[in-house]
Amino acid sequence: MKVEKLLHMAGGAGDCSYAANSKIQEKAILKVKPILEEAIVELHINLHPEKMVVADLGCSSGPNTFLVLTEVMKIIGRQCRQLVLQPPEMQFFLNDLPGNDFNNIFQLLDSLEESMRADNNISSVPHFVAGLPGSFYGRLFPSQSVHFFHSSNSLHWISQVPEGLESNGNYVYLNKGNIYIGKTSPPLVVKFYQDQFKRDFSLFLKLRFNELVPGGQMVLAFSGRKKSDIYNGELSTIWGLVSESLNSMVLEGLVKEETFDSFNPPFYAPSMEEAKAVVDEQGLFEIKDIQMFESNWDPYDDSDEDVVSDNIKTGENYAMCIRSVLEPMIASHFGAAIVDELFSRFAMNVANHLLKENTKLPILALRLKKKEQILFTKV
């Protein structure tokens, strides 16, 4: 799987697009707002930059793309009004892989600018917005040029499917019958995924350390794992339901077994302890805050109830969300013809699961501040 080419959300603004089905991701961004505000206020007070560079890594497309941008300007505008300061010029970079629907982003910019002019806290802040295609597992900026990095709902995507899941190119699939880490995945599969996450997150931290100015900060939020049993992790449950849906199509001859066995997503949801261990081992950032949030599967359900009121509707709503994320990857690997049937079965599997357990989506959030150290030169 060529991750950089295939990993992107469903583009456009149609019923099955990411732009129309990203409310769960919006909730994650909103839950992290207090952490974001603490970081921006502290950074602005301590550094007093005349020009501030902010980058949103894994911005995707649709209305969520501008949530962080507008929130940062509100925070800066409010603070400058309270302290009677001249606001800095803001340069925003919206980053994602080249397959992202950047056209959708730029088409929304005019209406965004119009709405921002009506907000006194924002209208006073001079700002510039640019798109930046490229992987955040590579260098994106010159050394010491960025004040603040934000990334939401992205770092659970690793740089590649872990090597070794297909043995020697002989079509011996180590994770046969599973997608991601399932209940019957061999321990070696778990190790491959954990090692790939550790390598990628370590590299990400080194790259951003080089690109941040002294005292620069990051706020990162991505899918995590609250349960200690990795085989029973919340995201393993979700991928397990996708796997069940595909396997039923294999049994009916709608999908080839070999095609199913060869599909493994470039994804890993770490525990808080795993993520913290990587940060501590690198020694490049001070952890200012680390938290775990939870969200319901149904993007339209904000209740704290242990029982889902309408499991069928929740299954349908959640299937639309997952489809908007996975459809490009599924269509590339299995063919577009199976997509409707697959997610219809997935919706029913979700509904049946929710009769037994109202599983939540854990979101891991970290606020990191760059330590004063010598720049890396080999990354």
Side-chain angles (χ1 to χ4, degrees), residues 15-241:
D15 290 344
C16 296
S17 68
Y18 181 79
N21 294 283
S22 52
K23 191 169 180 61
I24 288 177
Q25 292 83 353
E26 176 190 2
K27 286 183 176 181
I29 293 172
L30 295 177
K31 282 179 180 290
V32 178
K33 270 178 64 174
I35 301 175
L36 174 71
E37 181 161 6
E38 289 174 1
I40 294 299
V41 167
E42 182 180 297
L43 194 152
H44 185 233
I45 289 174
N46 291 344
L47 301 185
H48 299 294
E50 294 182 0
K51 298 180 178 64
M52 182 182 290
V53 177
V54 175
D56 192 9
L57 306 181
C59 66
S60 194
S61 61
N64 290 352
T65 300
F66 302 114
L67 279 179
V68 174
L69 182 154
T70 54
E71 189 61 29
V72 169
M73 285 199 290
K74 285 179 183 178
I75 295 166
I76 293 293
R78 249 191 333 260
Q79 191 174 35
C80 289
R81 285 162 68 91
Q82 291 170 357
L83 302 177
V84 195
L85 295 173
Q86 182 71 23
E89 289 187 330
M90 305 289 300
Q91 172 69 71
F92 291 94
F93 287 97
L94 303 176
N95 159 260
D96 213 315
L97 293 172
N100 185 52
D101 191 353
F102 282 99
N103 284 336
N104 177 271
I105 294 174
F106 298 134
Q107 288 166 4
L108 293 172
L109 267 178
D110 284 344
S111 58
L112 173 73
E113 292 290 345
E114 185 175 339
S115 65
M116 289 195 298
R117 282 192 288 271
D119 189 316
N120 290 334
N121 286 322
I122 296 178
S123 60
S124 62
V125 182
H127 59 275
F128 307 88
V129 182
L132 180 65
S135 170
F136 52 54
Y137 293 120
R139 280 294 296 266
L140 294 169
F141 296 95
S143 297
Q144 298 193 18
S145 63
V146 179
H147 296 84
F148 180 72
F149 282 113
H150 171 270
S151 181
S152 185
N153 300 293
S154 295
L155 276 165
H156 44 247
W157 295 109
I158 49 182
S159 67
Q160 64 178 61
V161 176
E163 293 181 1
L165 296 187
E166 181 180 316
S167 178
N168 300 320
N170 295 323
Y171 303 103
V172 178
Y173 299 104
L174 187 61
N175 203 23
K176 183 177 175 64
N178 293 290
I179 294 176
Y180 185 53
I181 298 171
K183 286 182 169 57
T184 61
S185 294
L188 195 55
V189 168
V190 176
K191 183 178 187 304
F192 285 159
Y193 269 106
Q194 288 177 323
D195 289 350
Q196 188 66 52
F197 169 76
K198 183 177 178 180
R199 283 194 298 271
D200 285 343
F201 194 38
S202 296
L203 176 60
F204 177 89
L205 294 174
K206 291 176 183 177
L207 292 166
R208 305 295 84 83
F209 179 85
N210 270 352
E211 294 166 345
L212 280 169
V213 301
Q217 296 198 33
M218 299 196 293
V219 170
L220 313 174
F222 48 95
S223 295
R225 188 181 76 253
K226 194 171 184 181
K227 294 182 178 180
S228 57
D229 180 5
I230 194 168
Y231 287 98
N232 195 34
E234 295 83 355
L235 273 298
S236 290
T237 298
I238 294 167
W239 286 109
L241 295 173

